[in-house]
Amino acid sequence: MGRARKWCNEHGFQVSFGWAKRTKKDGLSGGTAMIWKTHLNVIDVRESSLNERSASVTIDFGRGAGLTKVSSIYGFVSNPTKTLNMLNNVFAEPTTAAAQSVGGDFNIPRGLMEEWLANHHPQKMVAHGGHSCTGEVPMSTIDYFIIDRRLSTVLG
C-alpha cells in the first residue's frame, strides 16, 4: 500500500485504505479504498470500518449535492444476508452528510438489490453501467452504486 499511496500523492490524489484481511481459504482479500483529488473538500475520512469491508469519505460539494458521504464496500461472497446487514450499518452510521453514495462489489445481482432497496430503503436506488462480472456462469451485474434518489435528481 505504500507504493499505491506514494503514486496517489505524486499524482494529486489522497487515498484511504480499508485493510485487506486473511480469508477462510488462507487467501488475502482485496480490501477497500477511497481515492479523491486533493482539491475536493473532504471533511471526514473513515478507514477500515465494518470489519475492513468498507471505507468512506464525506465530501462537501457545495451548491447542489452539498455534503455527500461516499463509501466503498466489499460484499460477502455467497452470503447476501451478511452483505445486506453491512449495508444497513453503512446507511445507519452517523454522518453530517445530506446524501450518500455507496459503490462496490456487493456480490448480489442488481435485480435482487433493487428489490431489497424498494422494500427497505425506498429513498435509495441502484445506478449501474451494465454487466460487471464474467466467469463460469453467464455475465452478471454485482458491482454498482447505490445512491440517494435526491443525488440522481441533482446530478442528472
Side-chain angles (χ1 to χ4, degrees), residues 8-153:
C8 288
N9 292 338
E10 289 172 353
H11 291 86
F13 293 95
Q14 291 291 315
V15 65
S16 170
F17 292 104
W19 300 100
K21 63 189 265 185
R22 261 310 139 209
T23 66
K24 290 179 182 177
K25 295 180 180 178
D26 202 34
L28 193 61
S29 74
T32 58
M34 296 298 300
I35 183 172
W36 63 94
K37 291 296 279 182
T38 55
H39 72 274
L40 291 174
N41 186 15
V42 172
I43 60 170
D44 185 27
V45 177
R46 296 187 186 209
E47 298 179 342
S48 300
S49 62
L50 304 172
N51 298 318
E52 294 83 27
R53 288 187 169 268
S54 87
S56 68
V57 296
T58 300
I59 303 172
D60 186 352
F61 287 108
R63 290 186 160 180
L67 288 178
T68 303
K69 179 181 169 189
V70 181
S71 301
S72 169
I73 74 166
Y74 178 56
F76 293 87
V77 177
S78 301
N79 196 333
T81 300
K82 284 179 79 171
T83 299
L84 296 173
N85 287 339
M86 179 175 57
L87 196 52
N88 274 327
N89 289 336
V90 168
F91 294 150
E93 283 180 329
T95 181
T96 56
Q100 287 186 328
S101 173
V102 181
D105 177 352
F106 295 91
N107 285 306
I108 297 174
R110 183 187 85 224
L112 292 176
M113 181 62 78
E114 287 172 332
E115 183 179 322
W116 180 80
L117 287 171
N119 291 320
H120 296 90
H121 298 279
Q123 73 282 14
K124 302 196 183 303
M125 63 184 281
V126 171
H128 64 94
H131 294 307
S132 61
C133 188
T134 61
E136 294 177 14
V137 296
M139 289 194 293
S140 65
T141 305
I142 59 173
D143 308 302
Y144 41 82
F145 284 88
I146 296 172
I147 63 172
D148 287 340
R149 290 185 184 280
R150 176 185 155 309
L151 274 180
S152 179
T153 303

